[in-house]
Amino acid sequence: MHIHPLITDSATLANLCARLSDAPFVCVDTEFMRESTFYPELCLIQIADANEAAAIDPMAPGIDLKPLLDLMVDNEDVLKVVHAGGQDLEIVYNLTGKTPHPLFDTQVAAMALGQGEQIGYSNLVDSWLGIQIDKGARFTDWSRRPLDARQVDYAIGDVTHLAKIFPKMLERLKKTGRGAWLDQEMERLGDPANYANDPDLAWKRVRISSRKPDVLGRLKAIARWRELEAQAKDLPRGRIVKDETIADLAGHAPRKQADLAKVRGLSATWAGNDIGARLMAAIEGAQPLGADELPARDDRKPGLGREGSLVADLLKLLLKIRARDIDVASRLLARNEELELLAAGQREGLAMLDGWRFDQFGRDALDLVEGRLAFAVVDGRLKMTRTEAA
């Protein structure tokens, strides 16, 4: 594979993207910093197909990333391969309002091949290529310039290894007939809605015990205010106000701006400055949360009850057995919240009752709930057995 020198100019980047636009797939990775910003600061982009690889410096003066971004989001003929690519996709979304498509995430694919729920990149490379990655550059400050050759080589390795792993992984998926299992997961991962920072939904990230409509209404208003402040200032949310302070403000709303000086976690200066005034305006304008927005009781377990909880536990045991038997990560078959909803009587809208998941697990889960399946120990191994009711 040909490794290019670090690309720092628009013409070289455009030529690279023109060649890659004819490739069946490209492997993509990014290096970024986000400790002191709201939006991740893009510091390096690595890309490779089966024949060539390069690192691109997005911080180089005057460089035009449009050919690269067009390749990522508009070229439907080139498959984009990532590993645990959520943050890479977020960066592309922030730059374009779109996500790469079509998409293949090797961490998700590894779940279908029995390599665990969230295999790390180093372990993936070791298991498929027998290569131990030098982790020495992992904690590099990628925003500092110049980057030395060791840093660039380390970064490019993330895509050159992936370019060798992907065809092997694809071949194994074809042999096992599990490639189709991943379509829904890849579409879910690539959904742009995952990466949109909607201020009106920011309150759902904050933990709070109250379910009172007025408290949650204030929480929604304050979280929205914080989201807008953080975006405008490009600062992490916690640098504006921490979650626990937001929860306190929602539960015990100050009556006037001067009272902000008494709130733990806020600077006393907020009692008289502009940011404090904007916070008070958000609190005073808050409306009680509507019934359609109220979270379900007991962590989305409608009517589960004691007996339902026992059934859910049996379903979780069944999931472990089935995942073991077919050598697949259990989370790819079903999620715990789905099992609890099934135990509570829900039958509609559950992914495990549709398509390949129904064939591999959902049918047995339904049979267990409805009394047609039971547990048995055979030769010291826990298995499932059909009952007379079947």
Side-chain angles (χ1 to χ4, degrees):
M1 179 181 291
H2 178 63
I3 309 296
H4 295 279
L6 180 66
I7 294 177
T8 58
D9 68 279
S10 300
T12 305
L13 176 58
N15 289 334
L16 172 69
C17 292
R19 293 191 301 273
L20 294 178
S21 66
D22 293 326
F25 72 90
V26 292
C27 299
V28 184
D29 188 37
T30 62
E31 308 298 342
F32 55 88
M33 304 292 290
R34 71 182 312 162
E35 286 80 3
S36 59
T37 59
F38 180 88
Y39 298 103
E41 180 185 7
L42 181 58
C43 301
L44 197 67
I45 307 160
Q46 305 93 272
I47 190 166
D49 67 359
N51 303 309
E52 59 182 319
I56 301 141
D57 185 359
M59 303 176 72
I63 193 166
D64 181 6
L65 297 179
K66 187 176 185 304
L68 177 64
L69 296 174
D70 287 347
L71 174 64
M72 290 293 100
V73 301
D74 292 331
N75 190 326
E76 292 282 322
D77 296 325
V78 180
L79 181 67
K80 290 79 182 183
V81 180
V82 297
H83 181 79
Q87 295 190 96
D88 304 312
L89 269 60
E90 179 190 359
I91 288 172
V92 174
Y93 177 84
N94 289 341
L95 292 171
T96 66
K98 302 176 183 179
T99 51
H101 191 271
L103 185 69
F104 186 96
D105 191 311
T106 53
Q107 186 179 72
V108 176
M111 293 169 63
L113 296 173
Q115 291 194 275
E117 301 277 335
Q118 291 181 313
I119 186 171
Y121 183 71
S122 297
N123 289 335
L124 185 84
V125 173
D126 189 12
S127 66
W128 286 87
L129 302 179
I131 296 173
Q132 284 75 48
I133 293 176
D134 175 13
K135 301 178 183 179
R138 180 190 295 178
F139 301 109
T140 289
D141 180 351
W142 295 103
S143 66
R144 295 186 66 179
R145 292 298 183 272
L147 295 172
D148 62 38
R150 178 171 174 269
Q151 291 172 310
V152 175
D153 289 345
Y154 170 86
I156 289 180
D158 286 347
V159 288
T160 56
H161 294 323
L162 212 56
K164 295 174 183 176
I165 292 171
F166 167 68
K168 295 174 181 287
M169 184 172 275
L170 190 61
E171 184 62 27
R172 191 177 299 178
L173 286 167
K174 289 177 180 177
K175 286 182 178 179
T176 57
R178 297 183 177 188
W181 293 12
L182 301 174
D183 293 344
Q184 186 178 11
E185 288 298 305
M186 299 302 178
E187 290 298 321
R188 183 187 61 79
L189 178 65
D191 184 354
N194 295 330
Y195 310 101
N197 291 300
D198 185 347
D200 287 325
L201 300 179
W203 66 278
K204 295 186 177 184
R205 296 191 186 96
V206 182
R207 291 190 177 187
I208 192 169
S209 58
S210 176
R211 291 189 73 260
K212 294 180 180 178
D214 58 332
V215 172
L216 293 178
R218 281 194 297 271
L219 179 69
K220 180 178 179 180
I222 298 168
R224 182 180 190 277
W225 161 83
R226 180 180 69 171
E227 198 77 359
L228 295 173
E229 292 280 346
Q231 290 178 10
K233 295 178 171 63
D234 195 18
L235 289 173
R237 297 177 183 92
R239 290 271 292 275
I240 304 295
V241 181
K242 295 188 180 301
D243 282 4
E244 52 266 33
T245 303
I246 284 184
D248 287 345
L249 287 167
H252 308 282
R255 296 186 178 183
K256 55 185 183 298
Q257 187 175 348
D259 294 337
L260 295 178
K262 306 172 187 175
V263 176
R264 185 180 61 181
L266 296 184
S267 167
T269 60
W270 284 34
N273 63 13
D274 289 344
I275 193 170
R278 292 194 295 273
L279 170 57
M280 285 305 302
I283 293 172
E284 291 164 0
Q287 298 295 319
L289 209 63
D292 58 332
E293 287 188 281
L294 286 174
R297 293 185 181 277
D298 194 21
D299 194 26
R300 298 188 294 169
K301 302 175 191 174
L304 196 55
R306 180 176 296 178
E307 294 300 316
S309 294
L310 292 174
V311 174
D313 288 340
L314 290 176
L315 285 169
K316 292 172 187 176
L317 179 58
L318 173 64
L319 179 61
K320 287 182 180 179
I321 294 171
R322 188 61 181 146
R324 178 200 67 191
D325 288 347
I326 65 174
D327 193 22
V328 67
S330 60
R331 191 164 64 91
L332 196 61
L333 292 173
R335 298 173 187 269
N336 282 343
E337 53 265 32
E338 283 188 280
L339 302 181
E340 289 158 358
L341 290 170
L342 183 68
Q346 184 169 323
R347 299 293 183 268
E348 300 297 324
L350 300 180
M352 66 177 172
L353 297 184
D354 184 52
W356 70 268
R357 288 184 174 86
F358 180 72
D359 294 334
Q360 297 295 328
F361 173 71
R363 181 182 288 108
D364 284 348
L366 204 55
D367 285 347
L368 178 64
V369 169
E370 296 178 356
R372 295 185 293 272
L373 203 63
F375 292 99
V377 177
V378 180
D379 296 329
R381 190 175 177 90
L382 196 60
K383 292 188 175 181
M384 304 307 299
T385 178
R386 297 285 160 182
T387 67
E388 293 183 3

